[in-house]
Amino acid sequence: MLNLILRRLLVAIPTLILVSILIFCLQKLLPGDPALMFAGEERDPEVLALIRAQHHLDRPVLVQYGYWMAGVLQGDFGHSLRTGIPVTDLIVQKLPVTLQLTATAMMIAMITGISLGILAAARQGKLSDAAINAVGLTGMSIPNFWLGIILIMVVSVQLRWLPSAGFVSITDDPGAFLRSVIMPAFVLSTPITAYLMRHTRSAMIGALRSDYIRTARAKGLRRPVVTLKHAFRNALMPIVTMVTLLFGELMAGAVLTEQIFTIPGFGKLIVDGVFTRDYPVVQGVVLCTAVSFILLNLLADILYILINPKLRHA
């Protein structure tokens, strides 16, 4: 197990270097001068030159990348050009908000998607299977921003059941947290729920057609026991892969949802950073997101081995 983790971490190093180069170079292609944004109304050439010198903006791109990477390796992502706050502090402040939102969305997606997928596989070819597939296709087809706006108009404005914006941490007030997060989490989880449902259904249908399932049925085991204990356990590996990878997608998809519901998380931080040409903030947030993807892939590999010990010697 330890050897596997070390091998995966070694493979991740060149990936991270490539990602960091892409993040840094693509950021430089954006139009606009961050020094002008930082200076505000002050357009004195000497002031602009001083700002560029302070943030190494007057140096070649490769030199700027070297300064940035040297700081990143020491845990320093630089300072926000707009507020002057260290990017590390902003990430520490905003990341828990997005994690609470995405974790809630993933819980909704797993409970709903996997349950519906198992039910659809067990009822394959029947009306309930067709109805669940139709719901899944609808969930994948509805745009998040449209669903979010409609829910705000109906649930918040018309019915006044839930707040339309804002966020309360679960550590401050669990009840207020649920009220603030349930609607954006539902919107964020909708396509993921559909993907999980369809993936679970396919994996379960393959498992239910296996010889050991026929043997279990021939022994007289009850249908729920055959489905949940024998078939679902063997169908779990592809589902685990989907869950870990989709969690990374949820974090990326939270950008739009956080904008719609005005949630002060990672997504809103990166959007504000792009609009204000706050390069250090955007670079730090995107790099953290890339690292989270790599860690989730590593987690998927570890879960593979825990579920199927035969892979330890593969």
Side-chain angles (χ1 to χ4, degrees):
M1 178 72 77
L2 184 60
N3 289 335
L4 170 76
I5 296 174
L6 289 175
R7 283 202 305 270
R8 291 291 189 271
L9 288 176
L10 287 175
V11 170
I13 290 175
T15 306
L16 277 175
I17 293 173
L18 181 62
V19 168
S20 68
I21 292 173
L22 284 174
I23 293 169
F24 195 86
C25 294
L26 290 176
Q27 180 86 356
K28 295 299 178 185
L29 295 178
L30 289 175
D33 186 349
L36 291 175
M37 299 292 293
F38 184 72
E41 298 295 328
E42 181 61 65
R43 300 299 173 94
D44 188 333
E46 292 186 0
V47 174
L48 291 175
L50 179 62
I51 292 172
R52 292 191 181 101
Q54 285 177 339
H55 298 280
H56 311 297
L57 297 173
D58 55 346
R59 308 296 293 275
V61 174
L62 283 178
V63 177
Q64 293 181 41
Y65 175 76
Y67 277 115
W68 179 61
M69 278 307 296
V72 168
L73 293 175
Q74 301 174 45
D76 179 12
F77 290 90
H79 289 69
S80 167
L81 296 177
R82 186 164 55 95
T83 62
I85 300 174
V87 175
T88 306
D89 292 351
L90 289 173
I91 291 173
V92 170
Q93 180 186 353
K94 303 293 184 183
L95 183 58
V97 175
T98 300
L99 284 178
Q100 290 177 64
L101 172 63
T102 51
T104 308
M106 182 52 80
M107 283 180 62
I108 295 173
M110 287 177 63
I111 293 172
T112 311
I114 294 177
S115 302
L116 289 177
I118 294 173
L119 180 61
R123 308 281 296 174
Q124 186 188 7
K126 298 185 179 178
L127 183 61
S128 53
D129 180 28
I132 292 172
N133 274 314
V135 171
L137 186 60
T138 305
M140 285 192 291
S141 306
I142 294 179
N144 274 5
F145 68 89
W146 181 85
L147 182 60
I149 293 171
I150 293 297
L151 285 179
I152 288 174
M153 294 295 292
V154 175
V155 179
S156 300
V157 178
Q158 297 292 330
L159 301 176
R160 299 179 184 278
W161 286 351
L162 295 171
S164 61
F167 178 81
V168 178
S169 174
I170 192 171
T171 55
D172 295 336
D173 187 340
F177 164 75
L178 281 177
R179 285 177 54 79
S180 68
V181 83
I182 191 68
M183 197 159 55
F186 174 76
V187 171
L188 187 59
S189 70
T190 303
I192 304 299
T193 301
Y195 284 124
L196 267 180
M197 186 279 291
R198 292 175 68 87
H199 210 74
T200 303
R201 179 181 178 276
S202 300
M204 283 295 294
I205 287 174
L208 287 170
R209 290 175 178 169
S210 302
D211 292 338
Y212 63 87
I213 294 296
R214 280 192 284 271
T215 304
R217 286 172 178 162
K219 288 181 177 178
L221 293 179
R222 290 183 301 159
R223 190 184 186 94
V225 174
V226 173
T227 304
L228 297 177
K229 185 177 179 181
H230 295 280
F232 181 61
R233 184 175 181 180
N234 286 280
L236 201 55
M237 284 188 64
I239 298 172
V240 167
T241 310
M242 285 292 291
V243 168
T244 50
L245 296 180
L246 288 176
F247 192 81
E249 287 192 18
L250 275 179
M251 290 190 66
V255 172
L256 189 57
T257 306
E258 288 180 359
Q259 284 294 312
I260 294 172
F261 291 94
T262 324
I263 295 175
F266 236 37
K268 195 168 189 315
L269 180 65
I270 191 171
V271 170
D272 292 343
V274 169
F275 281 127
T276 57
R277 305 291 186 273
D278 203 342
Y279 290 172
V281 171
V282 177
Q283 290 163 185
V285 172
V286 176
L287 187 61
C288 282
T289 305
V291 171
S292 69
F293 265 99
I294 291 172
L295 291 178
L296 287 170
N297 273 298
L298 176 62
L299 178 63
D301 291 337
I302 294 173
L303 290 175
Y304 275 163
I305 295 175
L306 292 177
I307 294 171
N308 187 357
K310 293 178 181 177
L311 294 177
R312 291 180 184 177
H313 307 291

